[in-house]
Amino acid sequence: MTYGISVTLDQPFDDAVAAVREALAEQGFGVLTEIDMAATLKKKLDVDIAPQVILGACNPPLAHRALQAEESIGLLLPCNVVVRGGDGAVVVEALDPQVMVGVTGNDALTAVADDAAARLRAALAGLTP
């Protein structure tokens, strides 16, 4: 089972992050958290990595449906979307919500995961011309 949905973009990193935020919003996701991995690792370990941020995306109606089906699903939320630069391109990856079904073994999450996956795929597909 693959656990990610990805697309590669040919644009500056900061422009890609802004485009991802906009594409997520168009699919009903808000960004609850943003972790700048490059800045964090530089500060904590004094190491340099290519630019990389982790966006914690949430679609409240989907999160609510998931919580109704699986009380502990918060352990797997929000949907993580990674934007990382390197080698002249920017890679955008989202955790496939189907992983929630596989990890929990709760088939009641299937419809929610299908909806979330379709929205994330649409958001990522909308990033490419």
Side-chain angles (χ1 to χ4, degrees):
M1 170 196 244
T2 61
Y3 60 94
I5 305 163
S6 68
V7 65
T8 301
L9 307 176
D10 182 21
Q11 65 185 127
F13 180 79
D14 290 338
D15 292 349
V17 173
V20 169
R21 285 176 166 279
E22 186 176 318
L24 289 169
E26 289 172 3
Q27 294 298 320
F29 290 92
V31 175
L32 301 177
T33 60
E34 181 172 337
I35 301 167
D36 184 333
M37 291 299 294
T40 299
L41 294 180
K42 182 64 175 176
K43 180 179 178 182
K44 301 291 184 179
L45 302 176
D46 195 29
V47 296
D48 295 310
I49 66 167
Q52 179 171 321
V53 297
I54 303 170
L55 303 174
C58 179
N59 178 301
L62 293 177
H64 182 247
R65 286 174 49 203
L67 284 166
Q68 290 176 314
E70 177 74 37
E71 185 176 17
S72 295
I73 201 65
L75 292 167
L76 300 173
L77 297 177
C79 296
N80 283 324
V81 179
V82 175
V83 183
R84 60 184 167 84
D87 297 329
V90 177
V91 176
V92 181
E93 299 172 304
L95 181 66
D96 186 340
Q98 296 299 335
V99 170
M100 292 187 309
V101 180
V103 168
T104 64
N106 184 342
D107 291 335
L109 289 169
T110 300
V112 178
D114 288 346
D115 191 352
R119 290 169 185 264
L120 288 170
R121 287 183 196 286
L124 269 59
L127 295 170
T128 57

